[in-house]
Amino acid sequence: MKEEIFVTKPYLPPKEEYMEYLDKIWETRHLTNHGPFLMEFTDQLCELLDVDNCLPMTNGHMALEMTIQAFKLTGEVITTPYTFASTTHAIVRNGLTPVFCDVRESDCTMDPDKIEALITDKTSAIVPVHVYGMPCDVKAIDAIAKKHNLKVIYDAAHAFGETIDGESIVHFGDASMFSFHATKCFTSIEGGCSVVNDQDLMLRIYQLHNFGIMNEESVAYVGANAKMNEFQAAMGLCNLKHFDEITVQRKAVVDLYMKLLAGVKGIRLLDYNNEHIKFNYSYFPIFIDKDEFGMSRDEVYDYLLKNGIHARKYFYPITSEFECYQDSGFRGDVSIAKRLSTMVLTLPLYPDLATDIVERICELLKTAGKKGKLK
Ligand SMILES: *Cc1c(COP(=O)(O)O)cnc(C)c1O
């Protein structure tokens, strides 16, 4: 039987390590609500992220939604559509109007040169995305936000553990959130985390994520339930121990892809040769130019699939093209994001992806290109 290769494979720690935590949970019966593993996980995350406070939650989407809610924003929020559904949904579900800014061709993040033209007197915040773990131009974005008195909330779902010039990526902007979903580079099964540099806001997010409850007799906000449970926190604690080692393994896979695909006509790769950034090597997208490569992205996708390789079209379609937003009238020219979304293919990447499989994928890609041209 031919082995099917998927775009990702969730990381799991050695089973015995998780079982030790389970034994303790069975002893204490503390399953959720401010449990000891959650406290320990929170402390370790603060240390890794170099912050005083952070709040792990049940998933990344709720972390984003509640973080946005805590700022009590109004009107319009500038964001990009070249992302996962969560980013745009979190804005809309807060009763805010997304205004779409185009992305940079080079790294698919928000183009700072195109932000100011979108700002109106209704704009209250910017929600950029560190897509694929490619950090946004945080300095330019933060400068624009300061000038116009706007909040900056980073969707850092893909950027866990990264640094810019040695600074934790959460030190930029007013807030950031991460996702610890099973498919992400660091996982707590489902999970996420909100990081805000303001103590009062962090407290408000804490209250929001527990129904807006202040104390036994007072409920101050229309909150929801986004608490992380002890089973998730335990998985997070186990996986944190292995995060450095799996990042090294991911880097080796990325390095091999880069080496084998360098110079293939019609395939563009992201630039990981940036000494200012410590990457987490979350994803490996390639951008296929149909005319130069001789085959369209969709044809390459089908070709790989026939050979047992499940690549993914991350991110296609862009969120502004979603069915649910068709009649929304959200504004913004996103022609580059739209074009990139028709070219992108995200290749399999996980820590123990074998060298010979990466070689096979690259070989398939190279022959696909030639085949296309022969037609
Ligand atoms: C995964 C993801 C989220 C949401 O995180 P979940 O943990 O899946 O809820 C938000 N934004 C982006 C860009 C993501 O990839």
Side-chain angles (χ1 to χ4, degrees):
M1 197 185 79
K2 198 174 61 186
E3 189 187 3
E4 299 285 311
I5 303 297
F6 294 92
V7 74
T8 192
K9 193 166 81 180
Y11 176 80
L12 280 172
K15 204 170 170 185
E16 319 76 70
E17 291 179 19
Y18 192 59
M19 296 306 267
E20 277 180 36
Y21 285 94
L22 292 187
D23 286 342
K24 284 188 199 145
I25 292 175
W26 254 257
E27 264 169 42
T28 62
R29 303 255 163 172
H30 203 148
L31 307 186
T32 186
N33 287 59
H34 220 77
F37 291 147
L38 179 64
M39 297 301 100
E40 198 180 329
F41 185 42
T42 306
D43 287 347
Q44 291 192 17
L45 284 174
C46 283
E47 194 172 327
L48 188 145
L49 299 170
D50 190 22
V51 289
D52 293 332
N53 293 290
C54 72
L55 181 64
M57 289 194 221
T58 193
N59 61 53
H61 178 80
M62 288 308 285
L64 184 56
E65 218 177 281
M66 315 241 101
T67 306
I68 293 173
Q69 188 182 355
F71 281 89
K72 299 185 175 169
L73 303 170
T74 56
E76 298 179 344
V77 172
I78 296 171
T79 187
T80 55
Y82 191 88
T83 181
F84 184 53
S86 174
T87 320
T88 307
H89 286 353
I91 294 167
V92 175
R93 286 170 59 83
N94 268 294
L96 299 160
T97 304
V99 172
F100 293 113
C101 182
D102 213 348
V103 299
R104 300 190 288 199
E105 181 101 39
S106 58
D107 64 3
C108 308
T109 67
M110 184 177 280
D111 188 341
D113 294 337
K114 293 182 179 160
I115 298 173
E116 283 194 292
L118 297 169
I119 296 174
T120 69
D121 54 8
K122 293 203 196 95
T123 312
S124 59
I126 308 176
V127 176
V129 185
H130 299 306
V131 66
Y132 306 128
M134 286 282 145
C136 296
D137 186 341
V138 290
K139 284 177 189 135
I141 292 171
D142 290 2
I144 293 165
K146 232 182 218 120
K147 182 170 154 201
H148 296 273
N149 197 23
L150 306 174
K151 299 294 178 198
V152 182
I153 301 162
Y154 283 105
D155 180 331
H158 299 177
F160 182 73
E162 296 193 332
T163 63
I164 303 173
D165 286 321
E167 285 253 354
S168 173
I169 200 156
V170 299
H171 288 178
F172 302 91
D174 297 284
S176 300
M177 56 65 64
F178 297 111
S179 166
F180 304 152
H181 183 258
T183 57
K184 302 305 209 264
C185 67
F186 169 74
T187 169
S188 59
I189 310 171
E190 291 265 6
C193 181
S194 169
V195 188
V196 181
N197 60 21
D198 177 301
Q199 294 267 0
D200 294 338
L201 271 175
M202 199 76 253
L203 182 63
R204 192 181 297 155
I205 295 170
Y206 180 83
Q207 286 148 353
L208 282 170
H209 102 304
N210 186 28
F211 305 101
I213 294 172
M214 310 296 277
N215 59 50
E216 264 180 54
E217 297 186 4
S218 155
V219 177
Y221 307 113
V222 184
N225 178 7
K227 296 187 303 289
M228 176 177 274
N229 67 51
E230 288 292 278
F231 294 81
Q232 292 174 292
M235 185 60 82
L237 282 167
C238 287
N239 285 349
L240 262 189
K241 285 193 206 96
H242 298 279
F243 183 61
D244 286 344
E245 126 209 351
I246 68 173
T247 304
V248 169
Q249 286 179 286
R250 282 179 172 278
K251 180 178 188 307
V253 175
V254 167
D255 286 347
L256 184 59
Y257 269 129
M258 301 285 281
K259 190 177 110 194
L260 296 175
L261 293 177
V264 176
K265 214 165 175 290
I267 291 185
R268 184 169 69 86
L269 311 173
L270 290 179
D271 183 13
Y272 284 98
N273 291 316
N274 185 338
E275 71 222 18
H276 298 283
I277 313 296
K278 185 174 127 198
F279 290 107
N280 62 18
Y281 304 95
S282 284
Y283 299 91
F284 195 78
I286 62 171
F287 299 86
I288 298 163
D289 181 320
K290 179 174 188 257
D291 295 333
E292 270 191 53
F293 188 66
M295 223 184 192
S296 72
R297 185 273 311 272
D298 287 349
E299 288 169 318
V300 177
Y301 172 89
D302 290 340
Y303 179 68
L304 290 179
L305 195 59
K306 271 196 212 104
N307 286 280
I309 309 295
H310 300 246
R312 292 295 295 268
K313 300 173 194 176
Y314 290 149
F315 287 97
Y316 173 86
I318 52 175
T319 65
S320 51
E321 304 271 307
F322 286 179
E323 214 177 301
C324 55
Y325 295 132
Q326 275 327 289
D327 302 319
S328 63
F330 298 152
R331 64 191 174 87
D333 172 7
V334 288
S335 42
I336 294 175
K338 193 167 171 176
R339 185 162 49 80
L340 290 172
S341 78
T342 65
M343 299 169 75
V344 72
L345 201 57
T346 298
L347 302 181
L349 170 58
Y350 42 90
D352 58 348
L353 181 60
T355 301
D356 62 325
I357 293 169
V358 176
E359 286 168 351
R360 198 172 109 226
I361 293 169
C362 294
E363 212 39 57
L364 282 168
L365 282 169
K366 288 178 186 174
T367 53
K370 283 185 204 133
K371 272 189 193 157
K373 271 180 216 119
L374 289 177
K375 267 198 290 198

